[in-house]
Amino acid sequence: IYDVGTGKKAIIFIYDIFGWNETNKNVFTFADDLAGRGAFTVIMPDFYRNEAWPVTQFPPQSDLQQKAFNTWLKGVASDIIVRKDIYERVLPHLFKSKHEKIGVIGFCWGGKQSFYMGADGERFNAVASIHGAWIDEEKANALQVPCYYGPAKGDTPVET
């Protein structure tokens, strides 16, 4: 878990399918900026456990690559695994540290995850989804907390 900042308000940062690695170090810069600008504690778990999807293999160029990507999404990047990490590892850490408010911000694949967290108004106070992948009206209608949704060109338009 990457943990930066000392604020009593926490943000769980959920990155895209490329995770964190030598190619995708900008996620650390973003987490550091969030922590410094708003007096937040920012938590960024390694959801993929060093098995992020390779930047060089996206988008998939063949049926075989697409099959591999879909298998990865259902395994390594499973929604259930992410929720388990957040509910069993991240939230207990934040509650133990006595954080007053907890929000989630996600990019692309992480944006979808932030919508799932936004359906839990007991534990989360707000969520944000930037270029959220696989966002639909059903996920939007399930939100129980304030949400910022920043779609990119071609993303599904939804009312939040």
Side-chain angles (χ1 to χ4, degrees):
I1 293 178
Y2 185 70
D3 184 338
V4 63
T6 58
K8 282 298 182 189
K9 295 177 184 174
I11 297 173
I12 301 169
F13 178 38
I14 308 176
Y15 37 74
D16 60 22
I17 62 170
F18 308 118
W20 70 44
N21 52 50
E22 289 301 313
T23 307
N24 201 23
K25 288 183 180 180
N26 61 337
V27 296
F28 294 102
T29 302
F30 188 82
D32 294 346
D33 285 350
L34 275 176
R37 291 177 191 261
F40 296 107
T41 295
V42 178
I43 303 292
M44 186 171 60
D46 179 11
F47 293 110
Y48 309 137
R49 291 157 178 79
N50 294 317
E51 292 185 49
W53 189 257
V55 174
T56 58
Q57 293 182 26
F58 192 84
Q61 299 296 312
S62 68
D63 289 343
L64 184 61
Q65 282 184 344
Q66 185 64 55
K67 186 175 181 180
F69 180 64
N70 291 339
T71 299
W72 179 85
L73 279 175
K74 292 174 186 170
V76 173
S78 163
D79 298 335
I80 293 169
I81 291 173
V82 173
R83 283 184 244 166
K84 185 175 168 120
D85 278 354
I86 289 175
Y87 282 90
E88 293 181 4
R89 294 174 52 217
V90 176
L91 288 176
H93 169 74
L94 292 174
F95 294 149
K96 183 179 176 185
S97 303
K98 306 217 184 305
H99 284 84
E100 299 166 358
K101 306 253 184 207
I102 300 171
V104 180
I105 185 168
F107 289 88
C108 198
W109 171 87
K112 175 181 77 165
Q113 303 306 324
S114 72
F115 264 63
Y116 287 137
M117 300 307 117
D120 181 354
E122 290 185 33
R123 291 174 187 83
F124 301 98
N125 301 95
V127 297
S129 173
I130 313 298
H131 180 43
W134 303 288
I135 301 298
D136 56 27
E137 291 293 332
E138 182 180 346
K139 289 178 190 72
N141 290 335
L143 290 168
Q144 295 180 7
V145 300
C147 174
Y148 170 80
Y149 177 56
K153 184 179 179 181
D155 286 349
T156 304
V158 295
E159 295 294 322
T160 58

